[in-house]
Amino acid sequence: MNQIPMTPMGVGKLLDKSFNVYRQHFGAYFLLALIWFGPFLLLQQLLLIDLSNVPLLMQDTEGLEFWEAMGEKFIGQEEMVTQNIARLLLYLFLVAPLTMAVAYPQLLAGATLLTKSAWEQQTVDLKAALKGALGRFWPLVGSTLVYGLLAIAVVFGFTLVFLLIGFLFTIVTGSSIETFLDAGSDFNPVLFFIVFLFGYLLFLLGLVLVPGYFLLRWSFYLPLVLFEKGGVGIDQSWRLTKGNFWRIFAIFIVLSFLYSTFSGGIQVVILSILGTSIISQIILVVLSCLLMPWMAIVYALVYFDLRVRKDGTDLQEMMNKQLDQSTDRFSAEEPGAAHE
């Protein structure tokens, strides 16, 4: 089948394209998520939830008023977490790292291959996508570990600098928590709350913009490792995203808002009906496997859009360079031609 030309897309067109791709090839993407994330999510539920205290079908709230029953169901969501330290440690040091280092890159790589076929109007083959992603298994794992270590370092460094600035601020102003809470001082708890809230919001904003800037610029390492088969992909991602940060940032802000709104809304409905039951947890696992492919499709489309923009820019620069060289040669030859 003939390929359609790839052209740059705006934010709206990109999101619309992601919905269309997912709708047309829903089965392949959903099975991909079930294969890679389904087992890890179920294992997470088994390790983190005390199944002996959770009903199978529906939480019993008989005899309670409506709002009391709703409160009981949502409070139960916190109470069902297991107190078994061994299981918590097993999840933190085995299941969670394997999910991030194995399931995460394989899902994104497989989704990227499926999306490439869909965008080029070729046959979308789940088996071929799984095989292609597994063929780059260790490079994807290695580059993901490098990205994770960089993420930890950047976030830790920013947090350290922020705390240092806060410490210097308390020294310069001569204030402390005890000063704010001291009833006999010029400060009061209300002022302390305002200052604390302002500092917390400033920290969150800085966390999104400063570490977020680097993490977003590095985040397209995975398809580069998948397709170009060379290096870790971090520095290539940095060059690929040059001049496109704010557009990518806007896309993922919209994506996060839509995902959290849709996912949170469905979770509220499920918990309000079934409460903290085994069935509700299984439904939430299936919901995650339904939503993750869409986010992976957006990620893949953003990468292909960046490639189109980068290739177009490189082509334009090459043409301009050739034009400048031709002009220089013409200027150098002109005096000789006039002399003859």
Side-chain angles (χ1 to χ4, degrees):
M1 188 174 292
N2 295 330
Q3 296 183 8
I4 59 173
M6 296 184 180
T7 57
M9 296 182 291
V11 176
K13 185 177 179 181
L14 191 146
L15 292 174
D16 182 63
K17 181 71 174 178
S18 69
F19 286 121
N20 289 332
V21 169
Y22 194 20
R23 176 178 54 82
Q24 293 171 5
H25 308 286
F26 170 79
Y29 285 104
F30 181 56
L31 284 176
L32 177 67
L34 282 179
I35 290 171
W36 281 114
F37 260 90
F40 286 98
L41 291 176
L42 286 175
L43 188 57
Q44 170 186 309
Q45 299 297 85
L46 289 173
L47 291 175
L48 296 183
I49 294 176
D50 186 1
L51 296 179
S52 62
N53 294 327
V54 180
L56 175 62
L57 297 176
M58 186 179 297
Q59 187 175 351
D60 184 18
T61 56
E62 187 177 354
L64 298 178
E65 297 291 336
F66 174 78
W67 293 112
E68 293 177 342
M70 291 290 290
E72 186 70 19
K73 288 178 179 179
F74 285 100
I75 292 173
Q77 184 73 12
E78 299 178 359
E79 293 178 345
M80 71 178 183
V81 177
T82 182
Q83 302 299 315
N84 190 312
I85 300 299
R87 288 164 59 180
L88 291 175
L89 292 176
L90 183 62
Y91 169 75
L92 290 175
F93 292 101
L94 182 61
V95 177
L98 284 177
T99 302
M100 296 305 298
V102 176
Y104 170 77
Q106 284 299 309
L107 173 65
L108 282 184
T112 300
L113 291 170
L114 290 175
T115 305
K116 182 176 184 293
S117 298
W119 194 357
E120 295 177 346
Q121 291 191 343
Q122 297 178 349
T123 302
V124 175
D125 188 347
L126 175 60
K127 184 178 179 181
L130 288 169
K131 184 178 179 180
L134 283 171
R136 299 290 293 160
F137 181 85
W138 289 114
L140 291 173
V141 170
S143 57
T144 300
L145 291 175
V146 172
Y147 179 81
L149 291 174
L150 287 173
I152 293 172
V154 171
V155 173
F156 178 78
F158 171 79
T159 304
L160 195 63
V161 170
F162 189 87
L163 292 176
L164 179 61
I165 293 174
F167 177 72
L168 293 175
F169 173 79
T170 59
I171 293 177
V172 171
T173 58
S175 59
S176 64
I177 294 178
E178 290 77 10
T179 305
F180 278 106
L181 297 178
D182 187 3
S185 68
D186 295 333
F187 299 100
N188 56 66
V190 175
L191 181 60
F192 169 74
F193 175 77
I194 294 174
V195 172
F196 176 80
L197 181 61
F198 176 77
Y200 178 71
L201 294 176
L202 189 63
F203 173 75
L204 291 181
L205 180 62
L207 195 65
V208 170
L209 293 179
V210 180
Y213 174 80
F214 291 96
L215 298 182
L216 198 58
R217 291 287 304 272
W218 292 330
S219 64
F220 292 94
Y221 71 90
L222 195 145
L224 288 163
V225 172
L226 177 66
F227 292 122
E228 299 188 7
K229 299 178 172 59
V232 179
I234 299 295
D235 55 340
Q236 297 98 316
S237 177
W238 183 269
R239 292 194 296 269
L240 181 65
T241 55
K242 182 180 179 181
N244 289 283
F245 170 75
W246 290 111
R247 191 176 62 85
I248 301 172
F249 182 76
I251 291 172
F252 283 98
I253 286 294
V254 174
L255 179 67
S256 300
F257 174 78
L258 292 176
Y259 177 86
S260 59
T261 301
F262 186 71
S263 174
I266 293 181
Q267 288 186 44
V268 168
V269 172
I270 293 173
L271 292 176
S272 63
I273 297 174
L274 299 176
T276 54
S277 63
I278 294 177
I279 293 299
S280 68
Q281 300 308 308
I282 294 176
I283 293 175
L284 291 178
V285 168
V286 175
L287 173 64
S288 297
C289 291
L290 283 170
L291 293 178
M292 280 188 292
W294 174 59
M295 298 189 72
I297 292 170
V298 175
Y299 172 83
L301 288 176
V302 172
Y303 166 74
F304 292 127
D305 183 68
L306 288 170
R307 290 280 0 159
V308 170
R309 294 173 185 271
K310 183 68 167 58
D311 293 343
T313 301
D314 291 345
L315 179 61
Q316 185 63 42
E317 289 178 352
M318 183 181 68
M319 293 175 62
N320 291 338
K321 185 177 181 180
Q322 291 176 347
L323 182 61
D324 291 339
Q325 291 175 347
S326 299
T327 303
D328 292 341
R329 285 197 301 269
F330 178 77
S331 300
E333 294 172 358
E334 191 175 42
H339 179 72
E340 291 178 359

